[in-house]
Amino acid sequence: MSDHYVKVKVQLEQMKSSGEGVEKDEADIIEDEVLVASSPASVSPIPASGTPAAQRETPKTSVTCRNQSKSRNKLGKDEKNTCTKQDSVPALQGTIVASNANSGKPVNRKDNEQQMLQIKGTGKMLQGKTETNGNTVPIHLPEDIKVGPHNKEDANKVAKRRKPVTVDTFKAKTSLEALKLSIRQLKWKEFPVGRRSACDIYWHGVSFHDNDNIISGQVNKFPGMIEMLRKINLTRAVRTMQELFPEEYNFYPRSWILPEEYQLFSTQISLAKDSDLSQKPTFIIKPDGGSQGDGIYLIRDPGDLRVIAGSHTKQSVVQEYIHKPLLIDKLKFDIRLYVLVKSLEPLEIYIAKEGLSRFCTEPYQEPSQKNLSHVFMHLTNYSLNVQSGNFVHSDSLSSGSKRTFSSVLYRLASKGVDIKKVWSDIISLVIKTIIALVPELKVYYQADIPPGKPGPTCFQILGFDILLMKNLKPVLLEVNANPSMRIEHEQEVSPGVFEYVPSPVDEEVKVGVIRDTLRLMDPAQKKSLTSYPEHQQEEMLGSPVRGTGEEGRVLPSMCLKQVFPKYTKQFSYLRTVERITALFLRFLGVKGNMRLGPTGFRTFIRNCKLSNSHFSMATVDILYIDITRRWASMLPDSREAGMGLQAFVEAFFYLAQRRFKSLPLREQVVSLLEVCEAQLENQGRGDSGGALPEDSTASTRRSVSCGRTQPGRTQHPHHMSTSTPGQALSAPQLCSPATPRRASSQDYRLHQRLRPTHKGNVEN
Ligand code: ADP
């Protein structure tokens, strides 16, 4: 055994033995099970036929070569139907066409069964016999579960008495196959064409609105998620956080929103180039609402931006291109991680311990003018690379052009990489990104499901696309609202004849994610589990206590790991914008509205006692009009009048800067929040303090709902309380309400009220 191997083994052992249940520092967040997955001890050879996918019948859908790309597009049509169809990009597609000439070759299938490694351990090591996605693992029943119906015998009785959970799969679209397998494994009841009476769970393929009029149960989509995860809105949400917490949010590449920030982009790049002539940055242009690499291209000069309709570029994001990615076998790859947002209020986030790594099919070279159009070198999208003659479909989970993430981690660990740190950084990136999205999601949520109105609760599986830089720092590329849950792929079985065949790696990862999402959302389980600590919940979900499992088989341990609220301590100080959102929702008034009217804004100022002799109500009105107009002018398609959340956040930042000069922005904002919250609390105790909002009843209801949690009240260790409530009421005269709150950001503060058009980053 080489010294190096010993070192890796010791490192892995240390990671495994790191304590559970102990609150860890952010830098120490460890996903214990993934590390187990990476341990050489948990790697066992399995025959290809052992994979669940291989055991299933191969669907016999054939298409001809001529129809290949058509059928590929058609596959995703349902979910892509709302995506903006991109203009073709000849420069990039040239490469695709050239490589397609190779597609007549038999598919390169790695047939190395002897060496085939299955990384076990997407679940805990338990005692007894069970199947983890086709593999036998021991089961360990939690000894200390002895109370109530949770001891084994009682729970088995309860499970026998229980009616099966019902799932409406009518709108599941391309997730259907993985969903059916999951439901079968759980012995739940599927309603493939819907049901007259209510189901427990509704599985939608695209959006919350796939089925309207659901008034109970749970839906697997949040209202507004598609809109929030469009490239422009994601960029805006992260940017707001970057303004407050620049260090914490430096995992997102520098981005500009087009067309409105073209000048800013152009000027900043020219200045940077002038100050350092050796700088030759590359930029990647991504159309808003695009997916699967559609319409993406690289440029080295702002002048190379493609224009449409004469002078306008399409709505898109231009982003700094990460030119030094980590390579494996000289290939660029990215990571797809599945993340479950189980609830917004309280915020609950789970990360799948296993993900996918998607490889490019042409050796990577740093961008140069010559290779900018080489998609198979620069873009890791499966949908693009599968068209390359070099794409390797493999039955193994640890080789080929699409592999499990744990196999990549294992490979990195064997090269001496500190995978514990990599995983910890990834978890941190995921939590921070969701914290950035939550404020606006709450506004959408309350507009669609106002408190007091009957409606379902929501959860959603998101697909995080992450790139590892050469220095191992994870970078967020994008988040998919509808990640592909397909578990089969198209394969050319003989020249010109294509079939859909099971994809073992997709099945290994995706069925586990869907099944365990369902287990977490099980209405009965949800109620009974809450009294147990999280580590016990996981064991219970994997134990025969559930009595579910196909043909009496015990279900595998959970592949989803809770990361929030588990790591609340380390991250709650970032939830500042959520506190601003609570104020916004409180004064929003009318049900279903997402924009604050002028009266609501005035009431906010008055109730929080923010006006005084230097800051009159007339000035407040000017501030409102100025900010609202500017946002409206930037959003020609906005249908609702009034001040959206992002405009309100801008106004709030502005007020905070005026009042608490010379502090860093984050402290100014927190100080103003403390002022407002204290005032409102006083009023709650009887000091009326100002006029009621436009619709006081609704506002009260909302404030109750928003007051359930007080995001961000836990103070960050570095955060200093900078003022006492009510202090500094003598704000200086407002010179011009138009004064931008930050010169660098003034032009891009625009809010989009996007009706659910379902355009967005949907895959398949
Ligand atoms: P899409 O939704 O169309 O897949 P992505 O943002 O995921 O758009 O980008 C497509 C691919 O382009 C990614 O999978 C990745 O390989 C590459 N990519 C995206 N952004 C960057 C970036 N900033 N630096 C380097 N590569 C990137």
Side-chain angles (χ1 to χ4, degrees):
M1 209 187 287
S2 73
D3 282 348
H4 182 64
Y5 181 76
V6 172
K7 219 172 105 194
V8 169
K9 219 177 159 206
V10 168
Q11 189 192 9
L12 290 166
E13 286 307 321
Q14 280 170 350
M15 294 173 198
K16 272 195 277 177
S17 61
S18 61
E20 270 243 358
V22 182
E23 281 290 350
K24 297 155 188 162
D25 288 340
E26 186 181 333
D28 283 340
I29 295 170
I30 307 165
E31 200 59 7
D32 307 282
E33 282 71 23
V34 163
L35 301 172
V36 172
S38 312
S39 158
S42 65
V43 177
S44 66
I46 55 149
S49 59
T51 62
Q55 287 165 348
R56 283 190 299 115
E57 215 180 302
T58 305
K60 294 277 184 258
T61 319
S62 299
V63 288
T64 63
C65 186
R66 207 155 48 90
N67 291 335
Q68 186 196 11
S69 64
K70 200 174 163 195
S71 81
R72 186 178 73 80
N73 288 337
K74 196 160 172 266
L75 284 177
K77 202 178 159 209
D78 285 340
E79 273 132 276
K80 281 185 63 175
N81 58 357
T82 50
C83 293
T84 319
K85 197 82 202 117
Q86 297 308 319
D87 302 331
S88 65
V89 184
L92 285 179
Q93 287 177 351
T95 320
I96 299 173
V97 173
S99 301
N100 266 351
N102 296 331
S103 63
K105 276 197 252 166
V107 177
N108 186 357
R109 212 176 237 281
K110 289 224 166 144
D111 195 14
N112 50 349
E113 286 189 14
Q114 290 304 315
Q115 296 160 17
M116 204 176 291
L117 298 176
Q118 163 98 15
I119 311 291
K120 276 201 243 173
T122 50
K124 285 189 175 173
M125 299 305 281
L126 307 168
Q127 296 165 5
K129 286 267 176 183
T130 188
E131 290 218 328
T132 300
N133 301 329
N135 301 308
T136 308
V137 295
I139 282 283
H140 162 75
L141 291 177
E143 297 269 317
D144 45 351
I145 301 175
K146 298 259 187 274
V147 276
H150 300 296
N151 70 54
K152 263 194 287 175
E153 283 170 23
D154 287 356
N156 276 332
K157 278 184 212 154
V158 170
K160 272 181 201 156
R161 276 202 309 268
R162 262 188 64 192
K163 280 190 189 159
V165 180
T166 52
V167 186
D168 181 334
T169 61
F170 187 42
K171 300 281 181 169
K173 300 203 168 162
T174 53
S175 337
L176 190 60
E177 203 180 338
L179 182 61
K180 275 179 184 291
L181 282 174
S182 303
I183 293 172
R184 210 176 303 148
Q185 287 180 13
L186 293 168
K187 282 193 161 174
W188 287 8
K189 197 161 169 50
E190 183 196 352
F191 285 85
V193 289
R195 189 191 190 197
R196 214 170 274 175
S197 54
C199 275
D200 295 309
I201 294 176
Y202 296 83
W203 200 274
H204 290 181
V206 182
S207 126
F208 175 77
H209 296 279
D210 285 357
N211 264 306
D212 274 323
N213 307 320
I214 299 173
I215 52 163
S216 64
Q218 307 177 80
V219 177
N220 71 324
K221 305 285 175 202
F222 281 98
M225 190 67 92
I226 292 184
E227 289 78 5
M228 279 313 294
L229 292 181
R230 287 169 68 107
K231 291 175 172 59
I232 289 181
N233 282 341
L234 174 67
T235 300
R236 281 196 190 116
V238 174
R239 247 184 208 183
T240 302
M241 298 305 286
Q242 283 174 333
E243 288 171 36
L244 292 170
F245 308 99
E247 303 271 294
E248 287 88 337
Y249 280 83
N250 65 7
F251 56 81
Y252 192 65
R254 209 163 157 216
S255 306
W256 295 261
I257 292 164
L258 299 179
E260 62 257 24
E261 286 171 25
Y262 175 74
Q263 273 314 327
L264 191 69
F265 166 60
S266 195
T267 313
Q268 286 181 352
I269 299 315
S270 309
L271 286 175
K273 280 186 178 166
D274 289 350
S275 65
D276 178 1
L277 293 175
S278 67
Q279 271 210 24
K280 287 204 170 65
T282 303
F283 303 94
I284 183 163
I285 321 299
K286 309 181 187 183
D288 189 35
S291 67
Q292 302 184 324
D294 275 355
I296 290 189
Y297 61 100
L298 306 185
I299 58 166
R300 306 201 86 191
D301 191 284
D304 294 338
L305 274 171
R306 302 201 178 132
V307 292
I308 53 158
S311 60
H312 291 295
T313 45
K314 231 178 169 128
Q315 282 262 305
S316 44
V317 167
V318 53
Q319 196 168 74
E320 221 171 312
Y321 185 74
I322 307 298
H323 64 285
K324 285 192 191 302
L326 183 71
L327 305 181
I328 288 186
D329 298 334
K330 300 192 177 141
L331 298 173
K332 178 173 169 178
F333 67 98
D334 77 352
I335 304 159
R336 157 58 57 86
L337 276 186
Y338 296 93
V339 171
L340 169 69
V341 180
K342 184 167 175 259
S343 140
L344 276 187
E345 186 98 328
L347 183 58
E348 282 185 69
I349 308 169
Y350 287 73
I351 299 188
K353 293 168 193 167
E354 186 59 285
L356 296 169
S357 296
R358 296 150 325 171
F359 283 73
C360 278
T361 42
E362 204 177 288
Y364 184 76
Q365 286 165 14
E366 284 198 24
S368 67
Q369 201 59 45
K370 273 191 194 157
N371 69 28
L372 284 187
S373 62
H374 292 210
V375 275
F376 301 145
M377 174 189 289
H378 291 297
L379 307 187
T380 48
N381 298 82
Y382 164 79
S383 50
L384 294 175
N385 283 282
V386 76
Q387 299 181 59
S388 154
N390 295 334
F391 192 92
V392 180
H393 288 286
S394 171
D395 281 343
S396 160
L397 305 180
S398 53
S399 63
S401 299
K402 202 197 262 189
R403 311 175 194 174
T404 56
F405 179 44
S406 62
S407 74
V408 166
L409 277 180
Y410 174 41
R411 175 103 183 250
L412 295 177
S414 72
K415 291 191 163 144
V417 166
D418 180 358
I419 55 170
K420 166 183 164 182
K421 167 108 177 50
V422 171
W423 187 241
S424 158
D425 289 348
I426 288 176
I427 293 178
S428 169
L429 174 154
V430 166
I431 296 174
K432 288 172 185 172
T433 304
I434 291 179
I435 286 178
L437 296 167
V438 164
E440 195 105 16
L441 285 175
K442 282 190 171 174
V443 179
Y444 277 102
Y445 199 91
Q446 292 218 20
D448 264 304
I449 315 170
K453 188 186 145 192
T457 54
C458 303
F459 61 94
Q460 189 153 355
I461 297 169
L462 305 176
F464 272 70
D465 290 349
I466 294 166
L467 189 72
L468 286 181
M469 286 168 57
K470 200 174 174 186
N471 64 6
L472 298 168
K473 185 180 159 56
V475 168
L476 177 68
L477 298 177
E478 69 155 347
V479 189
N480 278 280
N482 291 312
S484 164
M485 284 296 174
R486 280 189 174 280
I487 52 173
E488 72 283 323
H489 62 82
E490 209 177 294
Q491 196 174 63
E492 190 172 26
V493 286
S494 58
V497 180
F498 290 83
E499 276 185 359
Y500 293 119
V501 296
S503 164
V505 68
D506 285 299
E507 186 164 332
E508 165 75 13
V509 176
K510 295 174 183 175
V511 173
V513 170
I514 293 188
R515 182 195 58 229
D516 292 346
T517 296
L518 290 174
R519 286 157 88 186
L520 283 169
M521 305 317 297
D522 176 345
Q525 197 73 260
K526 259 173 97 182
K527 273 185 221 145
S528 62
L529 277 178
T530 43
S531 52
Y532 292 98
E534 191 229 338
H535 67 280
Q536 275 187 11
Q537 292 180 16
E538 284 186 23
E539 287 177 333
M540 290 164 73
L541 283 162
S543 79
V545 168
R546 290 281 294 107
T548 48
E550 196 180 7
E551 287 137 30
R553 273 187 296 179
V554 174
L555 292 166
S557 63
M558 291 289 285
C559 74
L560 293 169
K561 174 88 184 158
Q562 194 197 75
V563 294
F564 202 92
K566 185 171 185 180
Y567 300 119
T568 303
K569 255 194 193 166
Q570 295 97 310
F571 296 99
S572 61
Y573 75 99
L574 298 173
R575 301 178 73 185
T576 310
V577 182
E578 260 182 273
R579 288 168 68 188
I580 303 176
T581 308
L583 297 175
F584 178 78
L585 290 170
R586 181 181 179 123
F587 292 97
L588 195 55
V590 189
K591 270 186 188 178
N593 197 3
M594 291 181 66
R595 302 267 174 131
L596 190 64
T599 318
F601 189 67
R602 282 179 133 242
T603 311
F604 152 67
I605 297 283
R606 199 177 294 138
N607 285 15
C608 294
K609 298 213 158 94
L610 299 181
S611 65
N612 53 40
S613 55
H614 300 292
F615 187 54
S616 67
M617 288 313 278
T619 325
V620 168
D621 289 341
I622 296 171
L623 175 68
Y624 175 88
I625 292 167
D626 178 75
I627 291 185
T628 308
R629 265 203 198 141
R630 195 155 47 78
W631 280 76
S633 72
M634 289 188 285
L635 299 167
D637 60 341
S638 85
R639 288 172 215 170
E640 233 178 87
M643 181 180 257
L645 176 66
Q646 298 229 17
F648 182 77
V649 170
E650 177 175 345
F652 196 89
F653 282 13
Y654 174 79
L655 294 168
Q657 283 177 313
R658 282 179 49 85
R659 178 169 290 214
F660 302 99
K661 291 203 157 154
S662 76
L663 289 176
L665 178 68
R666 157 192 346 191
E667 288 171 25
Q668 292 171 324
V669 168
V670 171
S671 302
L672 189 66
L673 271 168
E674 284 166 0
V675 169
C676 296
E677 288 164 353
Q679 286 299 336
L680 296 172
E681 210 174 303
N682 282 342
Q683 285 156 35
R685 288 201 218 101
D687 165 16
S688 70
L692 285 171
E694 287 141 303
D695 174 351
S696 59
T697 330
S699 300
T700 315
R701 243 186 283 120
R702 282 173 200 288
S703 69
V704 169
S705 149
C706 294
R708 270 191 300 230
T709 54
Q710 294 258 317
R713 292 312 290 259
T714 318
Q715 296 250 318
H716 180 235
H718 308 306
H719 167 72
M720 295 186 313
S721 180
T722 49
S723 70
T724 51
Q727 180 199 327
L729 286 173
S730 55
Q733 188 67 43
L734 180 67
C735 307
S736 156
T739 312
R741 71 168 200 257
R742 277 162 305 287
S744 62
S745 62
Q746 58 170 312
D747 294 322
Y748 58 70
R749 304 288 319 167
L750 66 165
H751 169 88
Q752 259 181 323
R753 166 69 171 107
L754 295 158
R755 268 273 139 226
T757 56
H758 307 163
K759 273 182 175 184
N761 53 349
V762 286
E763 312 181 309
N764 291 302

